Amino acid sequence: MPLIEFECVRYNQTPNFMAKSSSRDSISNLPDEILGKILSLLPTKVAASTSVLSTRWRNLLGLVDTLCFDESLVVYPNEEEAKSGSLRFVDFVDKTFALLGNSHINKFSLCHEPRPGYNDAYQRWIWTAMERGLLELHLHAYRHYFDIETELLTSKTLVKLTLSGLYAIEVKYVFFPALKSLSLLSVLGLDYDNYCSLLDGCPALEELYIRDDDLLGSPCCGAFVKSASIKRLVVFTNCPDYKYDHEVSCFEAPNLVYLDYSSYVFEKYQYVALDSLVEARLNIRLWQSTKDYDPSSSSDDDDYDEDDDDYNSDYNVYDYNDDAMFGDVTNLVAGIANITTLHLSPDSLEVFHIRCNSMPVFNKLLKLSIESNKEKGWQVMPLLIKSCPNLQTLVIKGLEHRVTNGCEDACACSPKKHIRKRKIVMNKKEEKICCLCICQVNVLEVSGYGGSFQELKQMRHFLGKLECLETVKVGVVVDTANRNEFLRAKLLTLPRLSTKCNIQFF
């Protein structure tokens, strides 16, 4: 949560940027409204200290509409006072509110360590800010829990709310009729029932940001999202020590337009209703990498039997351990089948390959963006490309990926130890139609191109198979200008199936 830096200062200190005297003070001649806006952009400590400059500045603090306090930056005179707590921070905030009088407050941010005996002060600050037409409220508690009173969960004016850290919330009544944006960032004292009540009390909510990490159990907020109004959802969960608490996840947001989802795969996505979704960005991770279990890493060619019912040229499920096989994203993938733009991380490519039992047809998908690294393969790409009949733009961040025997014709590389097996299959079975040959992509964008042999071979493969290509954009990443020009020249000499294909560099 972004909080402007704060530390307690003596009120007789003058900010450095105003310390120098001048025969002509042009800033003081500005209208009060302008000075109030300027002070609102400054750290609260600086805004408060300007009141001692002159009589002109004495009452300008009342025009400040943004308050940001961070107790973690308070410098205590000794360790004993730091551990026991001090009135230093409380006094500063109280005096600042007193100087403000009854002025309007747009934004209030509080980062604090709840201490015994000071709860009334914390509650008073929040309640006072909300009474003055507050639009944004950002709260972060650390080291100790802070109980939020039910009265603080009502406001007719609040538009943006952020809760982070050690807040214990027991919702009896909550109503934020104007709230548009809600951020729940690792709120350790928020259980499932109170979380649902909080969402129910925000009928106009449009943006929901959830971060569940460093939790003592399963992710609560990131596992279940039910809201009829939200249009933008960002979920990040990271609880690697609680695999078997990731049992069920549900998403019910009929008006959601944008989804950014990052999580370890759940055992089951029970219900997914995202009918209006346009764009999805997925970073779903297996609980254990399949690197040590992929058939392409096997060196025993003699065990190959293309007539074996358990054999699959993409992968054999019996080669993976239980951790790699945990979870199922079939319902989640089916629930986003109507999107027009899809972004997949390297981990998501792996999950789609291993833990999606049925790939839907993405009839509306126009743009597919994937990211690659040397640890993850492209085994799912042939099926994914065939499942996107109207795809127009393919974006690839990094061409280098893990070489496996499952990439098939989406990739130009093959493990050497599987060449013999593939030749046997080609002689015995009909050659499959290349997924790239039937692909309608007319724009190919490749970033992070370093000019390695594998990358050049892959570019030759794309240019020689994609017959509808019109524009190819390549982002070359090299150390020297000479190397850059050399790689560009090599790319421009590659044969192209499409006569309309134009190569551009960025």
Side-chain angles (χ1 to χ4, degrees), residues 398-460:
L399 287 175
E400 290 191 330
H401 56 278
R402 183 181 167 208
V403 178
T404 73
N405 67 316
C407 301
E408 296 185 356
D409 46 34
C411 173
C413 54
S414 299
K416 292 182 179 180
K417 53 195 165 188
H418 287 278
I419 292 177
R420 181 173 67 83
K421 293 180 182 180
R422 287 193 171 184
K423 287 182 178 179
I424 293 174
V425 173
M426 295 280 287
N427 291 332
K428 292 186 176 181
K429 296 182 178 180
E430 268 188 36
E431 184 177 357
K432 294 181 180 179
I433 299 176
C434 175
C435 66
L436 297 181
C437 293
I438 61 174
C439 184
Q440 301 299 308
V441 165
N442 53 54
V443 177
L444 173 65
E445 182 177 323
V446 176
S447 62
Y449 181 80
S452 68
F453 175 77
Q454 182 182 350
E455 290 174 292
L456 182 63
K457 188 177 179 181
Q458 186 63 47
M459 286 301 299
R460 182 188 299 273

Side-chain angles (χ1 to χ4, degrees), residues 344-416:
L344 297 176
S345 69
D347 287 293
S348 294
L349 291 175
E350 186 177 52
V351 170
F352 272 45
H353 167 54
I354 302 296
R355 302 311 305 146
C356 183
N357 296 327
S358 177
M359 185 72 69
V361 177
F362 295 90
N363 284 312
K364 297 181 180 180
L365 193 69
L366 302 178
K367 181 178 180 179
L368 173 63
S369 175
I370 69 167
E371 185 175 351
S372 300
N373 63 38
K374 295 181 179 180
E375 300 296 321
K376 310 296 180 183
W378 280 11
Q379 298 99 315
V380 76
M381 286 300 290
L383 177 59
L384 186 57
I385 291 175
K386 291 177 181 178
S387 300
C388 306
N390 299 306
L391 189 65
Q392 296 180 3
T393 302
L394 178 60
V395 180
I396 303 176
K397 184 178 181 180
L399 287 175
E400 290 191 330
H401 56 278
R402 183 181 167 208
V403 178
T404 73
N405 67 316
C407 301
E408 296 185 356
D409 46 34
C411 173
C413 54
S414 299
K416 292 182 179 180

Side-chain angles (χ1 to χ4, degrees), residues 2 41 63 92 105 115 125 165 172 219 263 272 275-276 282 291 348 362 448 478:
L41 297 174
L63 300 175
F92 178 81
I105 299 176
R115 302 175 186 270
W125 301 336
K172 295 181 180 178
S263 174
V272 179
D275 299 335
S276 302
L282 303 181
K291 182 177 180 179
S348 294
F362 295 90
V478 291

Side-chain angles (χ1 to χ4, degrees), residues 264-276:
Y264 281 98
V265 61
F266 276 77
E267 184 175 6
K268 184 179 182 180
Y269 291 85
Q270 188 170 30
Y271 184 71
V272 179
L274 305 173
D275 299 335
S276 302

Side-chain angles (χ1 to χ4, degrees), residues 229-287:
S229 61
I230 61 170
K231 299 178 180 179
R232 182 180 180 88
L233 174 63
V234 178
V235 175
F236 175 85
T237 67
N238 185 32
C239 305
D241 296 328
Y242 298 93
K243 168 188 168 184
Y244 292 105
D245 288 326
H246 288 65
E247 296 179 355
V248 179
S249 180
C250 298
F251 292 96
E252 185 177 353
N255 289 308
L256 191 69
V257 176
Y258 176 83
L259 171 65
D260 187 345
Y261 179 65
S262 177
S263 174
Y264 281 98
V265 61
F266 276 77
E267 184 175 6
K268 184 179 182 180
Y269 291 85
Q270 188 170 30
Y271 184 71
V272 179
L274 305 173
D275 299 335
S276 302
L277 195 64
V278 174
E279 181 176 357
R281 186 178 298 272
L282 303 181
N283 179 27
I284 310 175
R285 305 176 295 280
L286 292 175
W287 290 90

